[in-house]
Amino acid sequence: MKRLLAILITVLLIMTACGNNDTKEKTSDESNKKKDELTAVKVVLDWTPNTNHTGLYVAQEKGYFQEEGLEVEIMLPGEAGADQLIASGQADFGISNQESITEARVQDIPLVSIAAIIQHNTSGFAAPVDKNIKSPKDFEGKTYGGWGSPVEEAVLSTLMKQDGGNIDKLNIVNIGTADYFTAVTRDIDFAWIFYGWTGIEAELREEELDMLYLTDFSDKLDYYTPVLATSEEQIEKNPETVEKFLSAVSKGYEFAIEDPEAAANILIDAVPDLDADLVKASQEWLKDKYQDDAERWGEQKLEVWENYAEWMLENDLLDKELDSDKAFTNEFLPK
């Protein structure tokens, strides 16, 4: 009797194990099937991950991309910039800016801005207070550290001339990706920064800066930077993917606006090497800058594109006029 009972128990255990295996296999198959049904999308950053990119990481972590049927890979740019990867089809979307898209389109590279990540230009020239740079005229006799773009010299020249200064009295050097705080103690007097990251870091370090925002000197320099970009080919061939991508990303940035602390934690978890205090402080500062005075996150205005292109043309930075209507679109933003 005991032997018969032992045999029955063994049979039951085998049947249960088989049933569990069948369930696991079925669940795994369903999961793989759902994954196969997702559209693979690549989005490339313009730089190392930071709070300009938070909406992407939120959309990924909160499942907004999957809800839209997308499997999104967030890529770093590497040696090739985001614009190059988008234009060559190696990435579907990317983080870009109005300056480079304007230049690209004039050179017949069909990039398109599909959303403004931040509504107004938050960049400017920053100097430690002991450098005594209070206005563009004070650039005279100083050393500026940049990345070697013709746009830099044009902006510096415009601001200095407007303030009665002479750019010939400014020393310009290329510091590439050197750390701002190291450079201003060793090689340069000031540099062009985004306050939402480097400026906030200065606050945390208790290093006071004199900040000259570009928007303080010209409305034409209040352009969109950064933006989300794609190619004309992507828009023509996969408009539904563009719409779904922006639907998810919009939710991501709206989440960051409503709950910056939770959004910051998502970015920190995704990129543990980031300074957590900097991410949290930067996220808090940016929460009101993402949408700002626009009716919805991502909205772009034609006049902003026309004004900046006109400024670039006036400063011999473009070979011909930009067809601003084709450089951006609000078509795929959620209504």
Side-chain angles (χ1 to χ4, degrees):
M1 185 68 179
K2 289 182 179 179
R3 185 178 178 187
L4 178 60
L5 184 60
I7 292 171
L8 286 172
I9 291 171
T10 302
V11 170
L12 285 171
L13 288 173
I14 292 171
M15 289 177 68
T16 301
C18 289
N20 287 340
N21 286 337
D22 288 344
T23 301
K24 288 178 182 179
E25 287 176 8
K26 186 176 180 181
T27 303
S28 179
D29 288 344
E30 288 175 355
S31 177
N32 289 334
K33 185 178 179 182
K34 286 181 180 178
K35 192 172 182 180
D36 290 340
E37 290 172 353
L38 298 177
T39 300
V41 166
K42 292 183 179 180
V43 55
V44 60
L45 305 182
D46 56 338
W47 200 247
T48 53
N50 58 66
T51 45
N52 283 344
H53 313 135
T54 304
L56 294 170
Y57 286 94
V58 170
Q60 192 173 59
E61 172 62 25
K62 303 292 284 185
Y64 300 153
F65 286 132
Q66 284 197 329
E67 288 172 8
E68 295 292 341
L70 304 177
E71 182 182 5
V72 174
E73 176 187 355
I74 300 174
M75 305 165 51
L76 297 179
E79 292 184 7
D83 290 345
Q84 288 176 278
L85 293 174
I86 299 166
S88 64
Q90 296 177 67
D92 304 289
F93 304 96
I95 308 292
S96 185
N97 53 69
Q98 187 172 333
E99 310 103 295
S100 63
I101 289 179
T102 297
E103 292 175 351
R105 292 201 65 88
V106 167
Q107 296 168 16
D108 298 321
I109 301 171
L111 298 179
V112 182
S113 174
I114 54 175
I117 291 177
I118 299 173
Q119 271 298 307
H120 295 283
N121 191 346
T122 61
S123 72
F125 297 107
V129 291
D130 60 4
K131 303 290 184 178
N132 198 30
I133 297 176
K134 309 297 181 183
S135 74
K137 191 177 189 308
D138 295 331
F139 294 164
E140 290 186 350
K142 300 293 196 298
T143 298
Y144 166 74
W147 60 90
S149 167
V151 170
E152 293 174 280
E153 188 169 346
V155 171
L156 288 162
S157 179
T158 297
L159 269 55
M160 291 183 74
K161 187 176 180 180
Q162 184 177 313
D163 198 39
N166 184 350
I167 195 170
D168 292 336
K169 297 180 180 180
L170 170 65
N171 181 35
I172 299 175
V173 298
N174 189 342
I175 61 170
T177 58
D179 174 68
Y180 170 81
F181 297 98
T182 301
V184 292
T185 58
R186 189 180 62 192
D187 307 312
I188 64 170
D189 297 302
F190 69 106
W192 193 342
I193 71 166
F194 281 92
Y195 193 85
W197 192 256
T198 308
I200 297 299
E201 184 177 357
E203 289 184 14
L204 295 176
R205 296 165 66 120
E206 297 185 347
E207 296 184 22
E208 192 177 350
L209 299 179
D210 282 316
M211 183 76 183
L212 305 181
Y213 290 98
L214 270 60
T215 53
D216 290 338
F217 301 95
S218 174
D219 290 340
K220 292 183 177 180
L221 295 178
D222 190 11
Y223 51 83
Y224 298 119
T225 177
V227 301
L228 273 169
T230 191
S231 63
E232 285 186 358
E233 182 179 9
Q234 179 78 355
I235 288 173
E236 291 167 7
K237 291 184 176 180
N238 304 300
E240 288 185 2
T241 300
V242 179
E243 186 172 359
K244 290 176 179 179
F245 177 76
L246 274 188
S247 176
V249 173
S250 293
K251 289 179 184 176
Y253 281 100
E254 286 164 4
F255 182 94
I257 292 168
E258 294 298 322
D259 196 341
E261 184 177 358
N265 286 329
I266 287 172
L267 179 59
I268 292 163
D269 288 343
V271 192
D273 290 341
L274 292 176
D275 182 324
D277 290 336
L278 174 56
V279 171
K280 290 176 182 178
S282 173
Q283 200 67 65
E284 180 65 27
W285 190 85
L286 274 177
K287 73 173 193 240
D288 298 323
K289 307 294 190 297
Y290 288 129
Q291 183 171 337
D292 207 296
D293 54 0
E295 292 184 3
R296 55 183 170 170
W297 176 85
E299 189 97 23
Q300 299 174 82
K301 295 178 181 177
L302 177 61
E303 64 189 73
V304 174
W305 282 86
E306 290 178 334
N307 284 343
Y308 185 65
E310 183 180 325
W311 179 86
M312 292 187 80
L313 198 62
E314 289 171 355
N315 286 274
D316 300 320
L317 295 170
L318 299 179
D319 296 328
K320 59 183 179 181
E321 290 185 6
L322 172 72
D323 187 347
S324 298
D325 278 312
K326 294 182 179 180
F328 79 100
T329 180
N330 292 316
E331 178 185 354
F332 300 100
L333 291 172
K335 301 295 185 279

